[in-house]
Amino acid sequence: MLSPAQSCNSLTVGALHSDFAGPGAFTGAAIDPFGTLRMTNLGSRLGTGIGGSIKPDLVMPGGRQAARARVTPSGLEVFSQEIEGVGQRAAIPDTRGGRRDRTQRSSGTSNAAALATRDAIRIAEALDDIPPVTGEVRGVTDRPGP
């Protein structure tokens, strides 16, 4: 098994520090590490893959994450933490059953991958709706090559 950064013929999706939560969502000891800077959130990483390729290949909004810091014997640790009011709002199941309007905020690469998948499906459906050109079958033409 290869890690996503080492995979071949795959698309890795990173999460941008981006959501529609209000500007005053970070409270208390929670720190907005990037503010308005368009950067991957703390749960997503930038790095290299096979042959030095840049990973992730694509970034999508993944929700903002708060930064917290603590002093340890080995130095300062900075870590991400999800806080109420920050992140992307998504549907969740009702634990008691019956309600279909429950939502919760979350953040991360799973959110970004879901948005990328939705957009890819919409693109594929739009391409399927394009009628074929006369003499062309699914991208194969009767014309000789160059």
Side-chain angles (χ1 to χ4, degrees):
M1 175 92 70
L2 299 172
S3 70
Q6 297 171 323
S7 64
C8 298
N9 300 322
S10 67
L11 180 69
T12 55
V13 180
L16 286 174
H17 184 72
S18 174
D19 59 34
F20 290 112
F26 288 88
T27 59
I31 301 165
D32 186 351
F34 304 117
T36 58
L37 180 65
R38 299 280 291 177
M39 188 68 192
T40 54
N41 68 22
L42 294 173
S44 188
R45 299 290 185 258
L46 297 174
T48 57
I50 290 178
S53 62
I54 297 173
K55 293 292 182 177
D57 302 299
L58 171 71
V59 290
M60 296 291 289
R64 293 180 295 165
Q65 293 177 327
R68 301 258 183 183
R70 68 176 162 231
V71 178
T72 67
S74 60
L76 181 66
E77 282 185 4
V78 177
F79 56 97
S80 68
Q81 182 175 3
E82 289 193 20
I83 59 172
E84 188 176 331
V86 178
Q88 295 165 319
R89 188 172 298 281
I92 61 168
D94 184 1
T95 56
R96 298 180 190 170
R99 288 186 55 195
R100 295 182 297 182
D101 61 347
R102 297 209 46 205
T103 62
Q104 179 176 320
R105 291 191 178 274
S106 66
S107 62
T109 55
S110 294
N111 295 16
L115 290 176
T117 300
R118 182 188 70 175
D119 287 350
I121 290 169
R122 292 176 67 195
I123 291 168
E125 288 173 347
L127 291 174
D128 283 344
D129 291 343
I130 298 173
V133 176
T134 304
E136 189 175 280
V137 179
R138 294 262 178 209
V140 178
T141 66
D142 294 335
R143 292 175 280 164

